[in-house]
Amino acid sequence: MRSAEPGEPADPAQPAEPKAPADPADPADPANPANPAEPIELAHPAEPEGPTPPDPHDGSPHDGSPPDGPSYDGPSYDGPPYATSLHHAPLYDEPRTSVAALSLRYRIAVALTLAVVAIAVCVHVGMVFLHVAPSNTLTKQHGKVVYDWINPEFEQNWMLFAPNPLQQDIAVQVRAQVSTADGGTRTTRWYDLSAQDGRAIDGNLLPSHTQQNELRRAWDFFVSTHDGQNRATNVRGSLAETYLRRILVLRLGRSDAAGSDGVVERVQARSRTTYVRPPKWSKEQVPDTPVYRELSWWSVPDGEAAGGVR
């Protein structure tokens, strides 16, 4: 049987000659990934020249001689020697935050501010304590100072725990005398200011202090400083009258009572008191008709009539 020429297909009936095994990779071949001919350069800190200090944990003698034991015949490492001790990076302080990060003068300013606030809080707490405490030597000597500090912004009383709560519904109403552009005058209708506050509070989860107490407290202030004939009973009567008049003028301005061409010249206030009906089991008798208390007409200064009051 003749052998197949180069380029001809091999005879399928003839068994193929076994191939010789490939030679193992030459260790010196640069293409061989396992070639250790060229050492790997590792970045290590430079070591001082001289013998390598012994490792205190390997039990070797401290004279620099190699330890006893079987020798290692593997490939040698020609790179720079490994470090025998750990080199730690320098430790830095953490950055300062909050007040410590401020400069000295700002820290002094913060300290002074905190001191002033602390003193103010202590003084306020002391004033409130003296106001609600029974009569004593301090309140007898400095009662006016305590009263001026507390009233009217921080008033404290025991009306919440009173055995006889208020049984009257007091509504404050106002009307105005307006001068028109043609030189005439007209009188407006009665505006129920308490009803306006009630509508503003109804359904409001967070009603303002003004809506709840401004008008009511102003009227209580006036009543407590005037008698039944609306005459002042003490030196604070004039202040109570001015305070109530300004609130009335502001409320009339919000309701546009004077119109676009009118000016409020005078105002008059009144209260409408309605008694709360007692329960059915009570024998108490109260009037069924409301009771009115009308004040005299008050002239409005030019500054208040023109909206100068804020």
Side-chain angles (χ1 to χ4, degrees), residues 51-72:
T52 303
D55 189 352
H57 301 287
D58 59 358
S60 60
H62 290 211
D63 56 357
S65 60
D68 297 335
S71 61
Y72 177 70

Side-chain angles (χ1 to χ4, degrees), residues 2 50 79 83 119 152 156 182:
R2 69 181 184 85
I119 294 174
Q156 305 288 326
D182 56 2

Side-chain angles (χ1 to χ4, degrees), residues 172-174 191-198 215 247-248 251 255:
V172 179
Q173 301 173 350
V174 63
Y191 290 86
D192 195 339
L193 305 182
S194 298
Q196 295 177 3
D197 290 346
L215 181 63
I247 292 177
L248 299 179
R251 296 294 184 90
S255 301

Side-chain angles (χ1 to χ4, degrees), residues 10-292:
D11 188 0
Q14 184 178 2
E17 295 181 359
K19 296 182 179 180
D23 296 335
D26 188 3
D29 188 1
N32 184 9
N35 177 25
E38 297 182 1
I40 302 175
E41 296 292 338
L42 300 178
H44 292 281
E47 291 291 335
E49 297 181 359
T52 303
D55 189 352
H57 301 287
D58 59 358
S60 60
H62 290 211
D63 56 357
S65 60
D68 297 335
S71 61
Y72 177 70
D73 298 334
S76 61
Y77 174 72
D78 298 334
Y82 288 98
T84 57
S85 61
L86 297 178
H87 296 270
H88 299 280
L91 299 178
Y92 297 97
D93 295 337
E94 295 182 358
R96 294 180 298 177
T97 58
S98 187
V99 180
L102 301 176
S103 61
L104 178 59
R105 62 175 182 177
Y106 284 106
R107 279 183 284 177
I108 294 175
V110 171
L112 291 177
T113 303
L114 293 177
V116 171
V117 172
I119 294 174
V121 171
C122 293
V123 171
H124 178 71
V125 173
M127 290 293 185
V128 173
F129 173 78
L130 293 176
H131 181 73
V132 300
S135 179
N136 52 68
T137 304
L138 288 177
T139 54
K140 291 179 180 179
Q141 295 180 356
H142 309 284
K144 187 178 184 304
V145 176
V146 176
Y147 182 86
D148 293 341
W149 179 279
I150 296 297
N151 291 284
E153 289 83 4
F154 310 109
E155 182 180 2
Q156 305 288 326
N157 54 56
W158 300 101
M159 294 182 63
L160 177 63
F161 308 100
N164 296 319
L166 293 177
Q167 299 178 1
Q168 300 172 346
D169 184 11
I170 302 176
V172 179
Q173 301 173 350
V174 63
R175 64 178 179 177
Q177 192 175 74
V178 180
S179 61
T180 58
D182 56 2
T185 59
R186 61 181 178 88
T187 302
T188 65
R189 60 179 177 86
W190 287 100
Y191 290 86
D192 195 339
L193 305 182
S194 298
Q196 295 177 3
D197 290 346
R199 288 191 296 268
I201 295 173
D202 189 18
N204 189 353
L205 297 179
L206 298 173
S208 67
H209 179 74
T210 301
Q211 295 170 341
Q212 298 180 81
N213 300 318
E214 181 186 51
L215 181 63
R216 178 181 62 84
R217 295 300 307 276
W219 181 258
D220 291 343
F221 185 27
F222 178 85
V223 172
S224 63
T225 55
H226 291 73
D227 57 13
Q229 286 73 36
N230 300 325
R231 294 176 299 188
T233 58
N234 53 47
V235 294
R236 297 174 63 86
S238 177
L239 176 62
E241 179 180 336
T242 302
Y243 182 54
L244 179 60
R245 186 188 68 241
R246 290 185 175 184
I247 292 177
L248 299 179
V249 173
L250 285 175
R251 296 294 184 90
L252 289 172
R254 296 173 188 173
S255 301
D256 196 19
S260 59
D261 58 349
V263 178
V264 176
E265 297 289 344
R266 298 195 302 169
V267 295
Q268 184 183 25
R270 74 177 183 181
S271 65
R272 182 179 183 271
T273 303
T274 305
Y275 289 89
V276 178
R277 299 186 62 83
K280 296 180 179 180
W281 48 263
S282 176
K283 297 181 180 180
E284 184 180 0
Q285 300 295 327
V286 296
D288 295 334
T289 57
V291 178
Y292 292 91

